Structures are given as structure tokens and as C-alpha cells.
Amino acid sequence: MDKKSSVSPLPTKALSDDKNSPITVWHIGGEDIRLRIPLLLKLREKGFNVGAVGSEDGNAFADNQIPYFRYTLERGINPWADIYTRSQLSALFRQHQPDIVHSFDTKPAMIAPIVAMKTGIPGRVRTITGMGYVFSSTSTLALALRPIYRHLQRQAAIATGITIFQNPDDREYFCKHKMVLDGRDDLVLGSGIDVEGLMKNSAEPEKLAATRRELGLEGQLVVTMISRLVISKGVREYLQVASIVCQQMKNVTFLLIGSVSSEGGQAIPIQEIHQQAGVVRYLGPRNDIPTLLNLSDVFVLPSYYREGVPRVLLEAATMELPLITTDMPGCKEVVKDGWNGLLVPPRDTKALATAILKLLNSPEQRNLMGKRSRVHVQTNFSLNQVADAYADIYNRVLKLPKTLK
């Protein structure tokens, strides 16, 4: 839990109660907390002191001079591990006393607000980044966990100043089931996409051509999916649809990019992926995602996981790709059916295959939808919009009466 780096003094634009020092905001997350770095940098530009707590290494934070603290966080059900997580957060909060703790992801959003309240942190914010496995699966375990999930979210709500939702469906569910206090919620679509930064990270034409040759994509239409290899992300449907499409079109390559999951029964065995090697190229996790998106013609995410707003859809849209995804909360916020992509019912391989074939056979439609995708992200999901919304929420949460904090 050692402090990894420090930042230089900031202009006092966002001031704490003493009016002499900037407001210090910490983002609390898990193994992908580094994805918050562009947003933290944008908040720093707006005058906030920023820091982060996560379960991954802190190299990316050190590179950006953002204070980072590592803690232990188990994704699954492990009460003993959760007790240790609480003790680590408690020690950090007591020692450093940030003005605002803002938690993301299911477990941090349940744990951090309560710990922050007990340690005297005045500003407590949580973002509901989707409703996850418990509401994506109809397994006996998932159904049994739903009442427990609702109870834990109600407890977290009491300790939270403002709860942020990333899509209207999640907000409606939480309000209906009294999992958020009246008047203490807000809607901010996604976590912000750095459109210009993402485009800059795409390779130059020579590198694009080299990568295309390396992957054997010359003369091919490329369909791409990026996801952790879990069932509820629609990976199996993607594998099945690749076989259907490749039987009807011979110049198509399906790419699957992402890490193998350790999520027990939800994980797709790597052997199952390899069995489809004839129709799907599995590239594993990659660090050149903008380049691979630039080489793609259609982006597909057949997820029936309860997403907040899938970042990968926003990134693909930024790279001017037409999108095919499911008519699910979070996904349908990114895709306007027939305008910048196509929506299909979840778990419907026939509809998914039809949608992919439709776009592969319509270059003009792909081009038009792709251009609309980027406009949609720039208009509704930009990094600056989200940073402005968060800055407003941070200032509001610090002004709540102490009885509500």
C-alpha cells in the first residue's frame, strides 16, 4: 500500500472546504483501474488533485505522475478476502484523508463507500458500471445471489452521497428496488472516451499495412470482437456465427481479441476457442487495439452481460466502425439501430449472422454507419463531457448537509 508516485502542486480551481487547497479525488477500482487514467488526467486539468486505488500494478500511474495505491480485491465471493480489502482501504483513507472517494465496479462500489463513511471521508461517490453476472445469468447461483446483491447495494447507498449510473435501465432498477436514496443519483453515460488520443494511437499507414500482412488480412473483410473470454459476453455465439458466415462468404476473417478468464463456470475454455481456429483467429490480449480496430470492417459485441456502457463499443465507434451488438442495457446506448449499427436480440445466432452478412455486403452502409459512430461518441460520450459532469457531482457531494454525508 505504499504510495507509488506524486504530482506537483495544482492550480486551485476545485477547492476543498478550507478554500486554500484543491479537492483531492481518489478513484477506487479493480484490475483495470488504469482505464481511468485519461479521466483522472482530465480532472487534474480542471484543478483537482487525483489519485487511484486498484488491484493491478501501478506502472501506468507512475508514468503519468498520479499517486497510486495497490490493494487486494477478489472478484468472486470470498468474505475473508473482503475483510482484508476493507482493512486495507480503511488504513489508506485514515492515513491520506482524500476529500472524495469515487468507487467503480461492483465490489468496490459496495465496499468503499461504507469504509469511507466510517473513516470520515466527506465526499462519497459510486458509479454503477452495470449489474454484472448476477443479472446476466439465470443459473441457480445467480438467482440466489440477487436478494443478497440488493441488500448490499442498499447498505452501500446509505453511505453514498451520490450514485452515478451509466445507463437508464440500471438507474430505473435501483430506484424501483430502493437501492439508491431519493434525489441522490445521477446519470453519466460511460466513463469518457479520449477520441483524439485514441486516434493518435493508431498506427501510421506503413505500420497498418505491415500488421495487415503479418495477420494475413490482405484482401479480407475483417470482423472483430474484443472481450474477456466469458460466456455472457457472447463469445460462443460469435464462434458459432463465424462458421455460418464463412460458409457463405470466402473473403472474411473473424478476429477474437482478449484475455482468458479465470471466472470459474463463466469462463470459456481456451480449448473451445482453438477448436474454431479454422474460422476465428484468436489473437489473445493485445496492446495495439487502435491499430486492429483500424484494420477492421465491422465490430461485433454479442454480449448479454449487464454492461454499464461497454468501453470497447465506444472505442470501436471512435475508429469509425459500424457496430453490431445486442439490444441490452448499456449496449443500446451506443448503437442506434439502423443508424450507426445494428441491434440484435441476445443469444440469437441467426439474427447475428444475418446482421453481419448485411453489413459485409454493404460497403456504402458500413462507411456511413462508421462515420456516424464517431459523431455519436464525440457528441455524447467524450472524455471532456464526463469530466465536466463528474466535476459538478464532486462539488455537489461536498455541499450535501453533514447528516446526508
Side-chain angles (χ1 to χ4, degrees), residues 307-360:
E307 312 273 0
V309 170
R311 175 181 293 271
V312 70
L313 278 179
L314 297 174
E315 291 178 347
T318 298
M319 303 310 293
E320 294 195 340
L321 284 175
L323 311 173
I324 299 175
T325 190
T326 49
D327 190 11
M328 288 287 293
C331 295
K332 63 185 180 181
E333 270 62 56
V334 184
V335 175
K336 297 181 180 181
D337 190 34
W339 187 74
N340 69 321
L342 299 173
L343 292 175
V344 298
R347 301 182 178 90
D348 190 334
T349 53
K350 182 178 179 181
L352 183 58
T354 299
I356 292 172
L357 285 165
K358 179 178 180 179
L359 291 188
L360 289 177

Side-chain angles (χ1 to χ4, degrees), residues 139-151:
S139 70
T140 301
L141 176 60
L143 294 175
L145 287 173
R146 289 183 186 181
I148 299 172
Y149 175 94
R150 287 191 286 264
H151 171 73

Side-chain angles (χ1 to χ4, degrees), residues 24 63 66 83 102 123 149 230 240 263 290 301 323 369 392:
T24 297
D63 292 342
I66 296 174
I83 291 172
H102 184 171
Y149 175 94
V230 295
Q240 294 166 10
E263 295 178 44
L301 185 68
L323 311 173
M369 285 183 169
D392 176 67

Side-chain angles (χ1 to χ4, degrees), residues 132-133 135-138 225 230-238 266 268 301-307 325-329 331 345-348:
Y133 159 76
F135 290 88
S136 304
S137 172
T138 55
M225 177 179 178
V230 295
I231 294 171
S232 55
K233 292 288 188 174
V235 175
R236 281 186 175 145
E237 286 77 5
Y238 185 74
Q266 274 289 299
I268 301 278
L301 185 68
S303 175
Y304 45 94
Y305 189 81
R306 281 299 296 264
E307 312 273 0
T325 190
T326 49
D327 190 11
M328 288 287 293
C331 295
R347 301 182 178 90
D348 190 334

Side-chain angles (χ1 to χ4, degrees), residues 75-90:
R75 291 179 65 96
I77 302 171
N78 190 330
W80 292 111
D82 293 348
I83 291 172
Y84 185 51
T85 296
R86 288 186 178 92
S87 69
Q88 288 179 300
L89 288 177
S90 179

Side-chain angles (χ1 to χ4, degrees), residues 23-51:
I23 295 170
T24 297
V25 178
W26 279 12
H27 283 188
I28 317 294
E31 61 191 13
D32 59 356
I33 188 70
R34 68 191 178 283
L35 297 178
R36 311 286 169 193
I37 288 176
L39 179 55
L40 288 169
L41 293 174
K42 185 61 69 172
L43 288 168
R44 192 161 73 183
E45 287 179 13
K46 296 181 182 297
F48 292 88
N49 272 333
V50 297

Side-chain angles (χ1 to χ4, degrees), residues 101-167:
V101 163
H102 184 171
S103 50
F104 299 80
D105 304 329
T106 300
K107 190 171 281 191
M110 291 179 179
I111 293 176
I114 295 173
V115 176
M117 180 178 68
K118 291 180 177 179
T119 53
I121 305 302
R124 301 179 298 277
V125 180
R126 61 176 178 158
T127 290
I128 305 302
T129 56
M131 294 170 64
Y133 159 76
V134 172
F135 290 88
S136 304
S137 172
T138 55
S139 70
T140 301
L141 176 60
L143 294 175
L145 287 173
R146 289 183 186 181
I148 299 172
Y149 175 94
R150 287 191 286 264
H151 171 73
L152 293 174
Q153 291 288 12
R154 291 184 189 114
Q155 294 299 307
I158 295 170
T160 303
I162 296 177
T163 298
I164 301 171
F165 296 94
Q166 293 194 328
N167 67 64

